[in-house]
Amino acid sequence: MADTADVFDVIVIGAGPVGVSVAARAARGGLTAAVVEERLAGGECEYYACIPSKALLWPMELAAEVDRMPGLQLRGPIDAAAVLAHRDDTVSHGDDGHVVNAIEKFPATFVRGRGRLAGALRAEVTTPEGGTRALRARHAVVIATGSTPAIPGIPGLREAHPWTNREATSVQQVPKRLAVIGAGPVACEMSQALHSLGAQETTVLVRGDRLLAQAEPFAGELVTRSLRDSGIDVRFGRSAGRVERPIPGGPVTVHTEDGDRIDADEILVGTGRRPAVGDIGLDTIGLRVNGPIEVDASMRATAVNDGWLYAVGDVNGRNLLTHMGKYQARVCGDVIAARAGGAPDDAPGLRDTADDRGAPQVVFTEPQVSMVGRTESRARADGFTIRAVEHDIGEVPGAMVRGVGYDGRAKLVVDEERRVLLGATFVAPDMADMLHSATIAVNAEVPLDRLWHAVPPFPTVSEIWLRLLEQCGL
């Protein structure tokens, strides 16, 4: 029987920002590509995470900045309806036509439907009309299916239909009472955003003893202080033992393990994410995983001997950040193009190093938490001989002109033997755009003696670099 499959050099399953980036890079290398997506092209980040969450957070941050400046104090509450309308504009009102058009201009072929593996170098797509389309790849199949929110096994929680980042970022009616379970970026960002938009009674339950446990301790402390100062009730060492929602869509009650009770209109869960590996056909190639698809530094799945299967972004579990997934995608696309052309694919420029040396991350709370590389505790655990230095950001002249109460803290983690940065953390308002300088220093392993000659302009907050480097003996 003749093979009726449509043939491409590369098949990408998943059209989030990571899958789209793989296709773009493969097309740049002269390959043909098919990109398969069941939902909105552009993925979670564009419609339910990074973009809409920042559209909801920025008004809060701007209002705080205005309130710090004498003579510009904000009058009245934030107009939630206007903010939500702007949020809808930022996500193109759920229309993915612009992303589909971009894919087709690479050029690549966009295939709408649910994609799954159907054997080596093969995939099948169930179309919206219920039909099936067979695809075959000459060189590679790339899994870019992302991740899904992790819902804890708390009795009654799933039955209560809790909000995840999807519902929180696409909210149409802000609840007056909000219960939040979690201590990571989603819990911190969305509790603060929704509180600023009208969730007057917001309660955050934290199982551990601090927020943002993967960051330097002072980051969680400063965010906690900000949340509490705004009226958010943050409770540490508290776990939800049972959740009740007798009427679908009605009020929800959270019973904590220590006997407390929280009544709310909605409950938001921000307790991490899991790789989306269910029902994507991995069993058709003998691969059975319940967690991340393990990959090497070129994004090739290590469990597939002949090297045609790749996994990029959240689904490989290396780094659950959009920008790092896109970085992996560029590595992956270049490797596939190199292999297809018969060139060696083991050059340093075709391998992922940023995941190991220093992935930047920003938590867009007020204050913002910007960090890259290793924390002090992680560096020590990894066996480095380090020196850690800290300084109050509010003490530099550039901070003083930003208004009354502009403050924060910065920290560098230094490899004492090589005299290079292993990590950096900046916690203060509007810190996100200052992080890239630290990312360059960490990933390029710029010697401190050379970094000292990168002079920050006066008077800016970036002069915090001088104070930190002076503490390093420069």
Side-chain angles (χ1 to χ4, degrees), residues 207-230:
R207 174 173 296 189
D209 59 0
R210 63 186 174 105
L211 298 176
L212 304 174
Q214 301 304 311
E216 296 286 0
F218 69 82
E221 293 168 4
L222 291 174
V223 172
T224 299
R225 185 177 70 186
S226 177
L227 264 62
R228 285 176 168 168
D229 286 348
S230 71

Side-chain angles (χ1 to χ4, degrees), residues 6 28 50 81 87 100 110 223 227 232 242 244 377 423 454 463:
D6 295 325
R28 193 180 91 156
C50 310
R87 180 275 320 273
V100 174
F110 179 74
V223 172
L227 264 62
I232 296 175
R242 178 166 54 93
E244 295 177 336
S377 60
E463 279 199 302

